[in-house]
Amino acid sequence: MKSTDVRALSADQLNDELAKLKKEQFNLRFQRATGQLEKTSRVREIRRDIARIKTIARQKLAAEAKA
């Protein structure tokens, strides 16, 4: 997920996307623990996407507070 795509989302959409990614992260951790994880790089991608969404959501919140 690109940061330009994330910036285009509203606050509600960001929260929905964050919840979806956290659920996927849980499932990937579970697969890794049971030895069923095939695409190990996906764990890293998900972690970075979560960080990206949290960062942009925080920036939007700060911009609203300033205005």
Side-chain angles (χ1 to χ4, degrees), residues 21-63:
L21 288 172
K22 285 190 175 232
K23 185 178 282 191
E24 186 174 352
Q25 183 183 37
F26 174 78
N27 290 332
L28 290 173
R29 282 197 324 253
F30 195 84
Q31 287 176 9
R32 182 172 29 178
T34 59
Q36 297 175 350
L37 185 61
E38 293 179 10
K39 191 173 179 186
T40 57
S41 64
R42 187 71 179 138
V43 175
R44 184 178 186 183
E45 292 172 13
I46 293 295
R47 189 174 67 239
R48 289 183 177 189
D49 284 345
I50 289 172
R52 188 174 296 119
I53 287 176
K54 284 184 174 183
T55 300
I56 292 173
R58 183 74 176 156
Q59 288 172 350
K60 286 184 175 191
L61 186 66

Side-chain angles (χ1 to χ4, degrees), residues 1-17:
M1 177 174 290
K2 303 257 184 186
S3 62
T4 54
D5 298 337
V6 176
R7 289 186 195 281
L9 299 176
S10 69
D12 290 334
Q13 290 172 327
L14 285 174
N15 288 333
D16 292 341
E17 188 67 26

